[in-house]
């Protein structure tokens, strides 16, 4: 029996390594091909990519797209946190019966394709253009709706890990106002959840294309698409850099979460 069990363990170990190697080749081979493609010719693509003044002069549309996406990511993360964190905390404290409804509303954008969202957002953005102009920063409103499912899940998981009601009642009993309760009691206890929601928001905004393209706004992915028609090498390099940036953000999120668990 021991020999049969050992043989089964060896087979499972071999199968596990085979699966890991196949998946590694499947995911890493296209990335390696992108690196090889971007280093052809004079090979100054990456040096140009990190030289912002030269990049802005050579590819102004790309520089505008990068700046617009970074601004959109920052503003979207701030707006999402300002709207979602107080709402989630208040529902847990005062309106627990509305929690299923709030969860349904927040998860609803996940079930609606982006192209359908654009059809509904187009009339709204006609008024947005009238009052606020056609700036690419107005995409922040659409992106806030788009990131709700992911941000809500992260924040809800953080709130589920603590006793929000007891903490809030204790702080209120000591004379703290609701703003103090939110900033000095609740937020420090859900810091990892807030960072998770923010990192997921940044990763999603940096990779969004459909809404920006159909609403005729500028962001990183729209700029990459336009750049691919004139400079395929730089387009692929920027796409790879954006992909690596999103991966690094998610890796930092994972490491931070593991460190928080270990400290607890």
């Amino acid at each position: 029996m021991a020999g049969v069990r050992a043989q089964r363990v060896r087979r499972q170990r071999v199968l596990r390594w085979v699966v890991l190697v196949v998946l590694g080749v499947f995911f890493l081979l296209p990335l390696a091909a992108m690196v090889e493609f971007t280093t052809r010719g004079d090979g100054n693509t990456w040096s140009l990519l990190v030289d912002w003044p030269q990049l802005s002069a050579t590819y102004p549309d790309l520089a505008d797209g990068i700046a617009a996406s970074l601004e959109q990511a920052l503003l979207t993360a701030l707006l999402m946190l300002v709207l979602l964190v107080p709402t989630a905390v208040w529902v847990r404290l005062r309106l627990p019966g509305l929690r299923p409804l709030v969860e349904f509303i927040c998860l609803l954008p996940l079930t609606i394709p982006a192209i359908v969202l654009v059809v509904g957002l187009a009339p709204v953005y006609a008024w947005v253009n009238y009052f606020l102009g056609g700036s690419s920063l107005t995409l922040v409103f659409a992106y806030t709706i788009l990131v709700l499912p992911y941000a809500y899940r992260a924040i809800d998981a953080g709130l589920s890990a603590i006793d929000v009601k007891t903490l809030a009642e204790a702080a209120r009993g000591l004379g703290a106002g609701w703003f103090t309760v939110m900033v000095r009691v609740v937020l420090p206890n859900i810091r990892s959840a807030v960072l998770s929601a923010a990192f997921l928001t940044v990763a999603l905004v940096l990779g969004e294309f459909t809404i920006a393209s159909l609403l005729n706004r500028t962001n990183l992915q729209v700029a990459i698409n336009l750049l691919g028609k004139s400079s395929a090498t730089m387009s692929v390099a920027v796409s790879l850099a954006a992909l690596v940036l999103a991966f690094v953000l998610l890796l930092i999120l994972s490491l931070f979460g593991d460190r928080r668990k270990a400290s607890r």
Side-chain angles (χ1 to χ4, degrees):
M1 292 294 294
V4 174
R5 187 179 297 109
Q7 186 177 6
R8 183 182 303 170
V9 171
R10 284 195 298 269
R11 289 179 178 176
Q12 291 177 349
R13 187 180 297 113
V14 171
L15 179 61
R16 188 182 302 116
W17 278 107
V18 169
V19 172
L20 289 176
V21 170
V22 171
L23 291 178
V25 171
F26 179 79
F27 287 108
L28 294 179
L29 189 59
L31 300 181
M34 294 174 72
V35 173
E36 190 277 332
F37 179 75
T38 56
T39 55
R40 293 179 182 177
D42 52 11
N44 65 349
T45 300
W46 291 100
S47 60
L48 178 61
L49 188 59
V50 297
D51 187 354
W52 181 257
Q54 185 65 27
L55 181 68
S56 301
T58 308
Y59 302 104
D61 292 337
L62 176 61
D64 292 341
I66 294 174
S69 282
L70 293 177
E71 293 172 351
Q72 291 163 5
L74 177 61
L75 293 177
T76 302
L78 290 176
L79 182 59
M80 176 272 300
L81 293 176
V82 169
L83 292 177
L84 199 55
V85 174
T87 301
V89 173
W90 188 255
V91 167
R92 280 181 172 270
L93 292 178
R94 297 298 185 185
L95 303 169
L98 291 181
R99 186 182 172 190
L101 177 61
V102 173
E103 182 176 3
F104 172 78
I105 294 174
C106 290
L107 297 181
L108 191 60
L110 193 63
T111 65
I112 304 175
I115 185 67
V116 179
L117 280 176
V118 173
V119 173
L121 289 172
V124 176
Y125 267 83
W127 289 100
V128 172
N129 292 343
Y130 179 77
F131 288 106
L132 302 178
S135 171
S136 61
L137 293 181
T138 57
L139 285 175
V140 168
F141 304 116
Y143 288 163
T144 302
I145 297 174
L146 201 63
V147 304
L148 277 181
Y150 313 99
Y152 175 80
R153 279 303 186 189
I155 293 174
D156 185 66
L159 291 174
S160 298
I162 63 174
D163 191 347
V164 183
K165 189 172 183 180
T166 301
L167 291 173
E169 289 178 351
R172 292 286 292 171
L174 294 173
W178 281 113
F179 181 80
T180 303
V181 171
M182 183 66 63
V183 174
R184 301 187 61 181
V185 178
V186 176
L187 280 180
N189 285 281
I190 61 171
R191 181 170 50 189
S192 60
V194 170
L195 288 176
S196 300
F199 283 161
L200 291 172
T201 299
V202 171
L204 188 145
V205 171
L206 291 180
E208 203 286 321
F209 170 76
T210 305
I211 294 178
S213 177
L214 294 178
L215 291 179
N216 296 319
R217 298 300 198 279
T218 299
N219 71 354
L220 175 60
Q221 298 302 323
V222 172
I224 291 174
N225 180 61
L226 295 176
L227 184 61
K229 300 175 182 179
S230 58
S231 178
T233 303
M234 179 58 69
S235 175
V236 173
V238 177
S239 299
L240 181 58
L243 182 62
V244 171
L245 176 60
F247 175 78
V248 170
L249 289 176
L250 297 179
L251 181 61
I252 293 174
L253 171 61
S254 177
L255 294 177
F256 182 82
D258 292 341
R259 188 177 63 180
R260 291 279 294 179
K261 291 178 181 178
S263 63
R264 290 179 182 178

